[in-house]
mmCIF file of all heavy atoms in Angstrom:
data_model
loop_
_atom_site.group_PDB
_atom_site.id
_atom_site.type_symbol
_atom_site.label_atom_id
_atom_site.label_comp_id
_atom_site.label_asym_id
_atom_site.label_seq_id
_atom_site.Cartn_x
_atom_site.Cartn_y
_atom_site.Cartn_z
ATOM 1 N N VAL A 101 92.232 126.139 108.789
ATOM 2 C CA VAL A 101 91.693 124.941 108.143
ATOM 3 C C VAL A 101 90.366 124.550 108.776
ATOM 4 O O VAL A 101 89.413 124.185 108.078
ATOM 5 C CB VAL A 101 92.702 123.778 108.209
ATOM 6 C CG1 VAL A 101 92.065 122.490 107.693
ATOM 7 C CG2 VAL A 101 93.949 124.100 107.392
ATOM 8 N N PHE A 102 90.279 124.623 110.089
ATOM 9 C CA PHE A 102 89.027 124.279 110.763
ATOM 10 C C PHE A 102 87.900 125.176 110.282
ATOM 11 O O PHE A 102 86.799 124.692 109.957
ATOM 12 C CB PHE A 102 89.181 124.396 112.282
ATOM 13 C CG PHE A 102 88.048 123.770 113.039
ATOM 14 C CD1 PHE A 102 88.226 122.555 113.693
ATOM 15 C CD2 PHE A 102 86.793 124.373 113.093
ATOM 16 C CE1 PHE A 102 87.179 121.959 114.376
ATOM 17 C CE2 PHE A 102 85.744 123.787 113.773
ATOM 18 C CZ PHE A 102 85.928 122.574 114.418
ATOM 19 N N ASP A 103 88.144 126.468 110.231
ATOM 20 C CA ASP A 103 87.089 127.399 109.807
ATOM 21 C C ASP A 103 86.633 127.094 108.385
ATOM 22 O O ASP A 103 85.427 127.144 108.082
ATOM 23 C CB ASP A 103 87.588 128.839 109.896
ATOM 24 C CG ASP A 103 87.716 129.328 111.340
ATOM 25 O OD1 ASP A 103 87.155 128.658 112.235
ATOM 26 O OD2 ASP A 103 88.390 130.352 111.560
ATOM 27 N N LEU A 104 87.583 126.767 107.508
ATOM 28 C CA LEU A 104 87.229 126.489 106.115
ATOM 29 C C LEU A 104 86.431 125.198 106.000
ATOM 30 O O LEU A 104 85.394 125.145 105.325
ATOM 31 C CB LEU A 104 88.497 126.420 105.266
ATOM 32 C CG LEU A 104 88.308 126.214 103.765
ATOM 33 C CD1 LEU A 104 87.372 127.256 103.167
ATOM 34 C CD2 LEU A 104 89.665 126.240 103.050
ATOM 35 N N LEU A 105 86.879 124.140 106.666
ATOM 36 C CA LEU A 105 86.135 122.882 106.631
ATOM 37 C C LEU A 105 84.738 123.051 107.238
ATOM 38 O O LEU A 105 83.748 122.514 106.723
ATOM 39 C CB LEU A 105 86.890 121.791 107.382
ATOM 40 C CG LEU A 105 88.122 121.178 106.714
ATOM 41 C CD1 LEU A 105 88.781 120.164 107.649
ATOM 42 C CD2 LEU A 105 87.774 120.513 105.390
ATOM 43 N N GLY A 106 84.654 123.799 108.325
ATOM 44 C CA GLY A 106 83.356 124.018 108.953
ATOM 45 C C GLY A 106 82.399 124.769 108.050
ATOM 46 O O GLY A 106 81.198 124.450 107.992
ATOM 47 N N GLU A 107 82.910 125.756 107.335
ATOM 48 C CA GLU A 107 82.058 126.505 106.405
ATOM 49 C C GLU A 107 81.596 125.620 105.255
ATOM 50 O O GLU A 107 80.433 125.669 104.842
ATOM 51 C CB GLU A 107 82.818 127.725 105.872
ATOM 52 C CG GLU A 107 81.965 128.652 105.029
ATOM 53 C CD GLU A 107 82.634 129.980 104.752
ATOM 54 O OE1 GLU A 107 83.400 130.454 105.612
ATOM 55 O OE2 GLU A 107 82.381 130.556 103.674
ATOM 56 N N MET A 108 82.483 124.782 104.758
ATOM 57 C CA MET A 108 82.099 123.854 103.693
ATOM 58 C C MET A 108 81.024 122.879 104.175
ATOM 59 O O MET A 108 80.064 122.592 103.462
ATOM 60 C CB MET A 108 83.325 123.080 103.209
ATOM 61 C CG MET A 108 84.356 123.914 102.488
ATOM 62 S SD MET A 108 85.922 123.031 102.267
ATOM 63 C CE MET A 108 85.401 121.648 101.252
ATOM 64 N N LEU A 109 81.187 122.386 105.397
ATOM 65 C CA LEU A 109 80.265 121.373 105.916
ATOM 66 C C LEU A 109 78.859 121.915 106.103
ATOM 67 O O LEU A 109 77.874 121.237 105.789
ATOM 68 C CB LEU A 109 80.782 120.829 107.248
ATOM 69 C CG LEU A 109 80.009 119.643 107.830
ATOM 70 C CD1 LEU A 109 80.416 118.356 107.116
ATOM 71 C CD2 LEU A 109 80.246 119.514 109.332
ATOM 72 N N LEU A 110 78.752 123.141 106.593
ATOM 73 C CA LEU A 110 77.450 123.634 107.024
ATOM 74 C C LEU A 110 76.907 124.813 106.224
ATOM 75 O O LEU A 110 75.733 125.150 106.358
ATOM 76 C CB LEU A 110 77.522 124.031 108.510
ATOM 77 C CG LEU A 110 77.847 122.900 109.483
ATOM 78 C CD1 LEU A 110 77.990 123.453 110.898
ATOM 79 C CD2 LEU A 110 76.785 121.813 109.443
ATOM 80 N N GLU A 111 77.723 125.447 105.394
ATOM 81 C CA GLU A 111 77.284 126.663 104.721
ATOM 82 C C GLU A 111 77.473 126.612 103.205
ATOM 83 O O GLU A 111 77.645 127.644 102.553
ATOM 84 C CB GLU A 111 78.016 127.877 105.304
ATOM 85 C CG GLU A 111 77.773 128.066 106.789
ATOM 86 C CD GLU A 111 78.581 129.212 107.373
ATOM 87 O OE1 GLU A 111 78.814 130.200 106.648
ATOM 88 O OE2 GLU A 111 78.985 129.117 108.546
ATOM 89 N N SER A 112 77.418 125.434 102.651
ATOM 90 C CA SER A 112 77.501 125.325 101.195
ATOM 91 C C SER A 112 76.278 125.969 100.558
ATOM 92 O O SER A 112 75.153 125.850 101.051
ATOM 93 C CB SER A 112 77.572 123.858 100.770
ATOM 94 O OG SER A 112 77.539 123.744 99.369
ATOM 95 N N THR A 113 76.508 126.662 99.461
ATOM 96 C CA THR A 113 75.408 127.318 98.733
ATOM 97 C C THR A 113 74.964 126.519 97.510
ATOM 98 O O THR A 113 74.073 126.956 96.776
ATOM 99 C CB THR A 113 75.835 128.730 98.292
ATOM 100 O OG1 THR A 113 77.044 128.638 97.522
ATOM 101 C CG2 THR A 113 76.073 129.633 99.498
ATOM 102 N N PHE A 114 75.573 125.363 97.285
ATOM 103 C CA PHE A 114 75.235 124.468 96.176
ATOM 104 C C PHE A 114 75.244 125.173 94.815
ATOM 105 O O PHE A 114 74.313 125.033 94.025
ATOM 106 C CB PHE A 114 73.869 123.810 96.408
ATOM 107 C CG PHE A 114 73.741 123.134 97.743
ATOM 108 C CD1 PHE A 114 72.654 123.382 98.555
ATOM 109 C CD2 PHE A 114 74.717 122.249 98.180
ATOM 110 C CE1 PHE A 114 72.540 122.766 99.790
ATOM 111 C CE2 PHE A 114 74.607 121.631 99.423
ATOM 112 C CZ PHE A 114 73.513 121.894 100.234
ATOM 113 N N PRO A 115 76.313 125.926 94.508
ATOM 114 C CA PRO A 115 76.389 126.522 93.173
ATOM 115 C C PRO A 115 76.911 125.505 92.155
ATOM 116 O O PRO A 115 77.396 124.434 92.524
ATOM 117 C CB PRO A 115 77.399 127.658 93.367
ATOM 118 C CG PRO A 115 78.328 127.124 94.413
ATOM 119 C CD PRO A 115 77.472 126.281 95.337
ATOM 120 N N ASP A 116 76.821 125.837 90.893
ATOM 121 C CA ASP A 116 77.367 125.008 89.810
ATOM 122 C C ASP A 116 76.889 123.565 89.907
ATOM 123 O O ASP A 116 77.628 122.616 89.616
ATOM 124 C CB ASP A 116 78.905 125.022 89.818
ATOM 125 C CG ASP A 116 79.481 126.410 89.697
ATOM 126 O OD1 ASP A 116 78.870 127.217 88.971
ATOM 127 O OD2 ASP A 116 80.511 126.696 90.322
ATOM 128 N N ILE A 117 75.640 123.390 90.313
ATOM 129 C CA ILE A 117 75.178 122.034 90.589
ATOM 130 C C ILE A 117 75.085 121.191 89.324
ATOM 131 O O ILE A 117 75.365 119.998 89.339
ATOM 132 C CB ILE A 117 73.821 122.064 91.331
ATOM 133 C CG1 ILE A 117 73.451 120.648 91.800
ATOM 134 C CG2 ILE A 117 72.723 122.672 90.472
ATOM 135 C CD1 ILE A 117 72.299 120.609 92.752
ATOM 136 N N ASP A 118 74.735 121.800 88.195
ATOM 137 C CA ASP A 118 74.583 121.018 86.972
ATOM 138 C C ASP A 118 75.916 120.474 86.469
ATOM 139 O O ASP A 118 75.990 119.342 85.991
ATOM 140 C CB ASP A 118 73.893 121.851 85.885
ATOM 141 C CG ASP A 118 72.422 122.075 86.193
ATOM 142 O OD1 ASP A 118 71.831 121.226 86.881
ATOM 143 O OD2 ASP A 118 71.868 123.108 85.759
ATOM 144 N N SER A 119 76.976 121.282 86.592
ATOM 145 C CA SER A 119 78.288 120.786 86.166
ATOM 146 C C SER A 119 78.740 119.642 87.065
ATOM 147 O O SER A 119 79.353 118.676 86.606
ATOM 148 C CB SER A 119 79.323 121.914 86.176
ATOM 149 O OG SER A 119 79.545 122.385 87.491
ATOM 150 N N GLU A 120 78.408 119.719 88.364
ATOM 151 C CA GLU A 120 78.809 118.649 89.266
ATOM 152 C C GLU A 120 77.944 117.395 89.069
ATOM 153 O O GLU A 120 78.408 116.282 89.293
ATOM 154 C CB GLU A 120 78.748 119.111 90.714
ATOM 155 C CG GLU A 120 79.594 118.285 91.661
ATOM 156 C CD GLU A 120 81.080 118.290 91.305
ATOM 157 O OE1 GLU A 120 81.564 119.266 90.688
ATOM 158 O OE2 GLU A 120 81.767 117.294 91.635
ATOM 159 N N ARG A 121 76.689 117.603 88.629
ATOM 160 C CA ARG A 121 75.891 116.434 88.243
ATOM 161 C C ARG A 121 76.630 115.643 87.173
ATOM 162 O O ARG A 121 76.716 114.411 87.233
ATOM 163 C CB ARG A 121 74.543 116.875 87.664
ATOM 164 C CG ARG A 121 73.489 117.299 88.618
ATOM 165 C CD ARG A 121 72.190 117.513 87.834
ATOM 166 N NE ARG A 121 71.306 118.453 88.473
ATOM 167 C CZ ARG A 121 70.440 118.148 89.435
ATOM 168 N NH1 ARG A 121 70.373 116.913 89.863
ATOM 169 N NH2 ARG A 121 69.667 119.064 89.962
ATOM 170 N N ASP A 122 77.139 116.363 86.188
ATOM 171 C CA ASP A 122 77.832 115.694 85.090
ATOM 172 C C ASP A 122 79.082 114.964 85.587
ATOM 173 O O ASP A 122 79.402 113.866 85.119
ATOM 174 C CB ASP A 122 78.215 116.704 84.010
ATOM 175 C CG ASP A 122 77.006 117.252 83.257
ATOM 176 O OD1 ASP A 122 75.973 116.557 83.222
ATOM 177 O OD2 ASP A 122 77.103 118.364 82.710
#
Side-chain angles (χ1 to χ4, degrees):
V101 173
F102 193 106
D103 288 345
L104 183 54
L105 285 177
E107 187 168 328
M108 292 167 62
L109 187 79
L110 298 176
E111 300 176 33
S112 175
T113 55
F114 307 130
D116 302 324
I117 188 169
D118 289 332
S119 65
E120 201 60 27
R121 282 187 206 275
D122 291 335

